Amino acid sequence: MDFTFTEEQQAAVEAAKAVFSGVAPDGVPSPALTPGAVADDFDRALWHKLADADLLSLSITPEHGGAGLDPIALCLVLRESAKVLARVPLLESGAAAHTLQHHAAEELRTEVLPRIATGELVVTVAAAGRTGHEPAELAVDAHQDGAHWILDGTQTAVPWAPTADRILLPAHTPDGHAVLALVPRTHPGVTLDDQISTSGERHAEVRLDSVRLSTRETITDPAAWESLRNLLATGTCALALGLGERVLAMTSDYTSKREQFGFPVATFQAVAVQAADRFIDLRAMEATLWQAAWRITTGAPGPLPPAGDVAVAKIWASEGVRRVVQTAQHLHGGFGADTDYSLHRYHAWAKQLELSLGPAAAHEATLGDLLAAHALA
């Protein structure tokens, strides 16, 4: 077995490191000190740099201006982005591009993918449903009217929606099937109500009132929504891993320099044991992430469908990222709460990722249902 990444995937990582090397996590006001959003828009300058480095087109085929890479490459880049708290819709855009590339009609692919690749068209994804606790596809009704689809419903906590150009969102048809609609933000019948994430970024509740879209702007492939949902979840796990790795590195650096009784606190057994436990968390997060990414990339058969591997990755990511930042705050002492130091920003982003992933108990229940439905040999 060869567990190394391909040359193309490693090249994507190196390109990402080069782009993100100039990004400062404290480039915007602190979410702890800002009553509203930390900025009106995402980091457009960084967005253009990502486009110039061909990192917005990873999942897009060369015929549409992309690199033709896979979800593993996207997750590798997302991992690097989280280390600097990059304020860009890279996950949403990458997941939308992959879904459009593999499930949309050729006419729609030709229209939007080249523009996504260059950063001209910004696409976000609605995946939280009406309340964040229900299947997202049930939050919007879709029924066909001749050559159009009519959409009614609400999607909450849509990241970057106030400044994105289009929103890819799921809806359900009268016969219970899920479709995806690529809705322009300014389309008639679309209303956005501002929401602020735990990390201080602009989200929105998106309400659709008899929104009429042409069939050309919809994806009816029955596999599209599950593919998009799995990629979003796996990408979020990649963000959690990158953030956790950076936080543990910050903790290691601090405890190696901070002295008590004439010795670095890193040499104290209680400190070393807590740091070691968090290192184990990160290695488990990493192993389960790449297992999930490999399954959704290759479609390789297994005792459970890919959703099982995604559920395991989400269990470790949601619990692990919380434990890592909590231990970091504890080992930093009062310094960890200093708003002039960036750790509190990572804590806020970690909490946002944890909320996005959902509680581990819910994913354990999903895994249990899958185990009950698929007898293991």
Side-chain angles (χ1 to χ4, degrees):
M1 293 184 178
D2 184 2
F3 294 105
T4 59
F5 297 111
T6 67
E7 290 184 7
E8 292 81 5
Q9 291 165 347
Q10 292 173 6
V13 173
E14 293 306 314
K17 288 180 177 178
V19 173
F20 294 129
S21 64
V23 178
D26 56 356
V28 293
S30 164
L33 304 176
T34 308
V38 296
D40 292 332
D41 198 0
F42 60 84
D43 191 339
R44 293 277 178 174
L46 176 58
W47 190 249
H48 294 312
K49 291 179 181 178
L50 290 168
D52 292 340
D54 296 326
L55 292 174
L56 300 184
S57 59
L58 292 175
S59 300
I60 299 173
T61 59
E63 65 179 307
H64 294 121
L69 299 184
D70 53 30
I72 294 175
L74 175 61
C75 287
L76 284 166
V77 174
L78 289 169
R79 179 187 189 178
E80 297 303 318
S81 75
K83 294 177 182 180
V84 296
L85 305 183
R87 301 181 48 261
V88 286
L90 185 58
L91 167 59
E92 294 78 15
S93 176
H98 181 271
T99 303
L100 289 162
Q101 181 67 70
H102 292 275
H103 301 283
E106 177 59 29
E107 184 181 4
L108 183 58
R109 293 201 301 266
T110 302
E111 176 190 345
V112 301
L113 289 177
R115 298 172 63 204
I116 292 175
T118 62
E120 176 190 353
L121 182 71
V122 180
V123 179
T124 188
V125 179
R130 184 175 60 86
T131 64
H133 300 288
E134 62 185 355
E137 69 273 18
L138 300 183
V140 177
D141 298 321
H143 67 271
Q144 202 161 5
D145 180 19
H148 293 82
W149 285 90
I150 311 299
L151 306 175
D152 289 279
T154 301
Q155 293 278 354
T156 194
V158 182
W160 317 105
T163 52
D165 299 306
R166 296 201 187 188
I167 303 165
L168 186 62
L169 57 86
H172 71 282
T173 63
D175 58 3
H177 292 116
V179 298
L180 293 175
L182 190 60
V183 183
R185 173 174 52 87
T186 57
H187 198 77
V190 176
T191 304
L192 273 63
D193 292 328
D194 277 345
Q195 296 174 318
I196 308 300
S197 72
T198 303
S199 54
E201 303 299 339
R202 292 186 69 190
H203 287 196
E205 180 182 81
V206 179
R207 290 185 282 116
L208 302 101
D209 183 12
S210 298
V211 172
R212 178 178 290 266
L213 284 183
S214 68
T215 55
R216 181 177 57 81
E217 298 170 288
T218 58
I219 303 173
T220 57
D221 184 341
W225 168 231
E226 182 178 5
S227 173
L228 175 60
R229 180 174 54 199
N230 284 340
L231 182 50
L232 285 170
T234 306
T236 305
C237 293
L239 292 171
L241 174 62
L243 185 148
E245 288 176 330
R246 176 57 184 149
V247 166
L248 188 60
M250 293 170 64
T251 305
S252 175
D253 181 67
Y254 177 78
T255 56
S256 297
K257 297 175 180 177
R258 178 73 167 91
E259 292 189 358
Q260 285 284 357
F261 311 112
F263 297 94
V265 296
T267 62
F268 299 168
Q269 186 178 39
V271 172
V273 167
Q274 291 183 70
D277 285 342
R278 300 296 76 83
F279 178 81
I280 293 171
D281 276 335
L282 290 173
R283 297 290 69 79
M285 290 166 65
E286 183 176 20
T288 54
L289 162 65
W290 298 130
Q291 170 69 14
W294 174 74
R295 285 294 306 279
I296 66 174
T297 294
T298 64
L304 295 177
D309 297 280
V310 173
V312 173
K314 291 169 75 175
I315 291 168
W316 278 102
S318 61
E319 290 279 312
V321 75
R322 174 177 53 80
R323 288 195 291 256
V324 168
V325 294
Q326 286 181 341
T327 296
Q329 290 281 13
H330 174 63
L331 296 183
H332 274 81
F335 191 56
D338 188 345
T339 55
D340 290 330
Y341 184 59
S342 59
L343 181 61
H344 77 286
R345 296 173 182 268
Y346 285 89
H347 203 155
W349 278 68
K351 178 56 67 175
Q352 179 62 39
L353 291 173
E354 182 188 358
L355 293 171
S356 299
L357 287 165
H363 310 317
E364 291 167 352
T366 297
L367 186 59
D369 291 341
L370 288 169
L371 288 167
H374 297 80
L376 301 182

